[in-house]
Amino acid sequence: MGELVVGLDIGTTKVAALVGNVLEGGAIEIIGRGLAHSHGLEKGVVVDIGETSASIRRAVEQAEKMADVKIQSVSVGIAGRHIKSINNSGTVSISRDNRIITRDDVRRVLETAQAIQIPPDSQLIHVIPRQYIVDGQDGITDPIGMTGMRLEADVHIVTGAITAVHNIVRCVQNVGIGIEHIVLQPLAASYAVLASAERELGVALLDIGGGTTDIAIFRGGDIWFSKILPIAGEHITNDIAVGLKVPYEEAERVKKEQGSVRVDEISGDERIEILTIGDEKKSIPRSKLAKIIEPRLEELFDMAMGEIEDAGYHDLLPAGLVLTGGTSLLDGICEFVQARYNLPARRGKTPQGIHGLRDIVESPIYSVAVGLLKYAVEQRERQDLYGPRTRRRGSSLLAKIVRWLNQFFRG
Ligand SMILES: Nc1ncnc2c1ncn2[C@@H]1O[C@H](COP(=O)(O)OP(=O)(O)OP(=O)(O)O)[C@@H](O)[C@H]1O
Ligand SMILES: [Mg+2]
C-alpha cells in the first residue's frame, strides 16, 4: 500500500471520514469510508465537544475497519459564521545584486501580505497566494528563480474564531488522532467538484449542507471570495415539519424522497403519503410540499446571490454556479437557479483521479471529505517539490498552532 491520506468532514448533520491510498501520479483510491450522524454541532460550529468527539469516533472507527488501517492523522474541514475572508496584497523589494527571487523573498512577501488587523478573538486559517507580480508582470504562480526588483503577492486570507478552531482540534484529539491540515470547507469541496476550466473562467461554488451554505468564488484559477451563511437543509426540514404538522424525522424523509422545487410542473393530482404527529397516515398533494420548500430555497439563494453581488462578482461568473452538499440533491434545484438568476448551474461531480467507492462518494454529501483528500495530496506534493521551507505560510502557521495545542492538551 502507498501513502495514506484521510479526510474528515465534521458537518452539522453527519461526520464523514474517508481513507485514501495515494497512487502513483497523485491519483487516490478510496479504501475506507465512515459515516455517522453528527451530534454536537450547530450551523457548522461545535457546541458540544463530547457529542462531537463521539460522532467523530464512530465515523473514524468505521473507516478504519473498512480500510483495515489505523488512522494517525486527518485533514479536517472548518466552517461557520465566524469565518471571515479578505483579499490583501504585499510588496517587498529585492535588493541583492543578482536580484534573483528566493524562497526567503516569497516568505517575506507573504508575511507582508498577511499583515492585517485580526480581531483578538480570531486567528489565521489560510493565507492563499493568488498570484505574484514581479516588476509589474502579473499572473505569476511561482516567482522563485525569476529576476526582479519588486515582488508583490496577492493573497486571499481566511480567519476564524480561535475558540471554534480550538474546539475542532480538541474534538479530533479526543479521538486520539493528529491533524495534518485544517481547511475551509468550501475550499476543500472545490478540490472535489470544480473543473480547472471553471476555476479559470469564473465560478461560484455553493455547498448547501444541513446547517450552512458555504460560498467560494474562483477566477483565474484562484479563490477570490468565501463566505459561510447560516441557512441550509435543516431550515427546509423545519419548515416542512411545521407546515405539514409532522415530526422532524418524517419531514426529513418526505423532503428527501418527494421534495422538489418544480412547483409549476407538479400536477395537481399527484399525491403523497405522510405520517402526522399522531402517527396517522394522511395523503396530501405533492405540490403542497414543493410550495413549502420553494420560498425557503428562494430565501437561501437570494441571500447567497446577494453576497455574491455585494462583493461585485455577479457578472464575473461565466461558468455560473456549481452546487454541492446534500441539499443540492433537491429535485429541480439547478433549473430553479438558472431561471431565477439567469446563470448556468450544475451539480458537482466527483472528479477524475478518484478511484474506489466511487458510487458512494459521488454523493454531494462527500464533496468536502473527497476534497480534503485531494487537498492533502496536493500539499504533500508541493512540499516534496519545494521542501518544508516554502510551505505556504498559512498552513505552517496553523501547523504551529496545532502543535502548540497538541502540547497544551497533552500537558
Ligand atoms: N435527496 C435530498 N433532497 C433534499 N435534501 C437532501 C437530500 N439528501 C440530503 N439532503 C439534505 O442535505 C443535508 C445534509 O447535507 P450535508 O451532508 O452536505 O450536510 P452537512 O455537511 O452535515 O452540514 P453542513 O455542511 O451544513 O455543516 C440535510 O439537511 C439533508 O436533509
Ligand atoms: Mg458539509
Side-chain angles (χ1 to χ4, degrees):
M1 201 183 297
E3 255 183 83
L4 291 183
V5 279
V6 182
L8 181 68
D9 174 17
I10 310 171
T12 311
T13 67
K14 58 100 204 330
V15 177
L18 295 180
V19 181
N21 182 21
V22 184
L23 307 173
E24 198 87 3
I28 300 166
E29 182 194 8
I30 298 176
I31 56 169
R33 183 226 30 175
L35 184 68
H37 283 294
S38 171
H39 303 286
L41 273 92
E42 265 172 32
K43 298 184 176 46
V45 171
V46 176
V47 292
D48 185 322
I49 289 188
E51 292 267 24
T52 306
S53 305
S55 305
I56 295 173
R57 182 169 290 118
R58 279 196 296 278
V60 162
E61 281 174 359
Q62 225 183 75
E64 282 181 330
K65 209 166 174 185
M66 183 170 180
D68 194 20
V69 297
K70 179 92 190 87
I71 293 174
Q72 309 286 353
S73 74
V74 296
S75 291
V76 64
I78 189 161
R81 234 174 156 174
H82 59 98
I83 299 284
K84 301 267 182 303
S85 74
I86 184 176
N87 291 325
N88 202 28
S89 55
T91 308
V92 293
S93 53
I94 314 295
S95 47
R96 278 179 311 276
D97 284 351
N98 66 11
R99 306 212 186 276
I100 294 176
I101 297 167
T102 63
R103 288 172 187 180
D104 219 41
D105 298 323
V106 172
R107 187 187 51 73
R108 276 197 303 131
V109 78
L110 291 181
E111 237 156 50
T112 323
Q114 67 182 245
I116 55 161
Q117 278 276 327
I118 300 176
D121 57 352
S122 294
Q123 67 174 72
L124 282 175
I125 293 177
H126 293 288
V127 178
I128 305 163
R130 281 209 321 259
Q131 65 162 352
Y132 296 94
I133 305 163
V134 178
D135 289 351
Q137 189 197 327
D138 61 5
I140 295 169
T141 47
D142 183 3
I144 295 173
M146 293 183 177
T147 313
M149 293 171 66
R150 190 182 145 91
L151 173 65
E152 293 168 67
D154 286 344
V155 297
H156 185 69
I157 299 175
V158 180
T159 65
I162 293 175
T163 339
V165 179
H166 284 201
N167 286 346
I168 295 257
V169 173
R170 190 126 193 220
C171 290
V172 175
Q173 285 176 339
N174 278 349
V175 183
I177 297 176
I179 293 181
E180 191 174 344
H181 300 287
I182 298 183
V183 189
L184 181 69
Q185 284 184 16
L187 178 67
S190 77
Y191 279 73
V193 298
L194 294 187
S196 52
E198 287 171 329
R199 292 170 87 107
E200 280 298 326
L201 270 174
V203 70
L205 169 84
L206 261 72
D207 176 352
I208 317 169
T212 66
T213 292
D214 307 350
I215 311 170
I217 294 181
F218 294 81
R219 299 187 62 222
D222 301 304
I223 186 165
W224 280 75
F225 175 80
S226 49
K227 181 95 192 177
I228 313 285
L229 301 176
I231 164 171
E234 285 185 339
H235 299 85
I236 299 175
T237 307
N238 271 327
D239 290 351
I240 297 170
V242 172
L244 298 182
K245 300 188 184 64
V246 295
Y248 187 88
E249 289 69 30
E250 175 67 355
E252 181 75 7
R253 179 194 71 79
V254 178
K255 175 181 82 171
K256 287 186 185 168
E257 290 176 10
Q258 304 288 346
S260 171
V261 253
R262 301 179 200 270
V263 173
D264 300 334
E265 290 171 40
I266 297 174
S267 134
D269 309 333
E270 213 181 315
R271 298 185 75 83
I272 55 172
E273 289 227 319
I274 56 170
L275 216 54
T276 64
I277 289 172
D279 251 1
E280 249 174 74
K281 270 196 188 156
K282 204 171 139 189
S283 155
I284 59 153
R286 186 170 170 229
S287 58
K288 186 171 176 182
L289 176 65
K291 280 181 192 153
I292 296 174
I293 296 173
E294 193 186 44
R296 186 54 105 165
L297 214 62
E298 278 175 3
E299 184 195 354
L300 188 157
F301 276 102
D302 284 353
M303 212 185 212
M305 293 311 294
E307 292 288 346
I308 291 172
E309 246 164 60
D310 288 351
Y313 292 103
H314 184 271
D315 299 326
L316 302 173
L317 303 173
L321 303 183
V322 174
L323 311 180
T324 190
T327 301
S328 73
L329 287 169
L330 261 180
D331 172 53
I333 196 167
C334 292
E335 295 78 358
F336 167 84
V337 171
Q338 269 158 12
R340 194 168 171 88
Y341 306 101
N342 199 21
L343 275 173
R346 70 166 182 91
R347 282 198 188 92
K349 277 204 206 92
T350 310
Q352 291 179 336
I354 295 287
H355 310 280
L357 309 183
R358 261 192 92 97
D359 48 334
I360 295 175
V361 302
E362 216 142 48
S363 161
I365 71 163
Y366 288 107
S367 55
V368 169
V370 171
L372 285 167
L373 296 178
K374 292 203 82 173
Y375 180 91
V377 170
E378 201 189 283
Q379 294 295 318
R380 283 186 198 175
E381 281 170 355
R382 188 183 304 276
Q383 218 175 325
D384 288 347
L385 214 61
Y386 297 117
R389 285 192 64 204
T390 54
R391 272 181 60 174
R392 290 189 172 179
R393 186 70 187 150
S395 36
S396 62
L397 197 107
L398 202 61
K400 260 190 214 157
I401 294 166
V402 169
R403 268 201 304 279
W404 176 80
L405 280 167
N406 274 331
Q407 284 164 2
F408 182 78
F409 288 121
R410 281 197 195 120

